[in-house]
Amino acid sequence: MTEKQSEITEALATKLEAGTLTVDELRRSIDALLSHADKMRQDILYLQSNNTSLQGEVVGMTMIEDGQLSEGPPDPKDWPYKTVLEAVCDGWRIISFPNMALLAVSESDPQGLGFEFILERFNDR
């Protein structure tokens, strides 16, 4: 829930508790909540890790933020997250864990992409 949605919800709860909430106010507030949800933009973060652990080192990244694709800074030391857990702690939600069926059987016989985590978050436009 965004800050704006929390404010609207808290105002509704306060009026409801006080017994002053009207049907018209409730309808306007619901319209405002739904209107605000339409203005949300999904950001996507692809993180490649050196293993399946949330604490594994990030070895590659791609980010789609505000509709813009970015590989991140060229130097991995400057990437915003060193682990998947750091991204989660910063508000990103994991929507896809590494697909174990795609992991390499051996270095000489790669079978897929490896340890890719896909994360999302929503921001106001």
Side-chain angles (χ1 to χ4, degrees):
M1 186 178 298
T2 68
E3 187 175 332
K4 176 76 171 173
Q5 291 169 324
S6 294
E7 289 172 10
I8 293 170
T9 303
E10 188 57 36
L12 284 171
T14 300
K15 287 188 174 200
L16 182 63
E17 288 172 348
T20 60
L21 180 64
T22 67
V23 171
D24 287 338
E25 286 176 304
L26 178 61
R27 286 188 175 130
R28 280 194 305 273
S29 295
I30 290 172
D31 286 343
L33 286 169
L34 294 175
S35 171
H36 184 72
D38 289 342
K39 296 176 184 171
M40 300 296 289
R41 181 184 303 251
Q42 182 185 31
D43 294 335
I44 299 290
L45 176 62
Y46 296 90
L47 293 178
Q48 291 80 37
S49 180
N50 63 356
N51 61 48
T52 59
S53 169
L54 295 177
Q55 295 177 322
E57 177 186 359
V58 170
V59 296
M61 69 164 284
T62 302
M63 183 182 291
I64 302 170
E65 200 168 27
D66 295 325
Q68 301 295 315
L69 181 65
S70 168
E71 298 286 328
D75 188 347
K77 294 177 189 168
D78 297 328
W79 289 347
Y81 308 108
K82 307 300 185 239
T83 68
V84 175
L85 184 58
E86 285 181 12
V88 170
C89 290
D90 194 33
W92 290 91
R93 297 177 349 161
I94 298 172
I95 58 174
S96 179
F97 285 87
N99 184 339
M100 301 304 277
L102 296 177
L103 299 180
V105 175
S106 71
E107 287 185 25
S108 63
D109 185 25
Q111 300 293 312
L113 300 174
F115 309 108
E116 183 175 70
F117 291 82
I118 303 173
L119 301 94
E120 73 171 357
R121 70 178 175 193
F122 287 90
N123 287 311
D124 294 335
R125 288 186 187 170

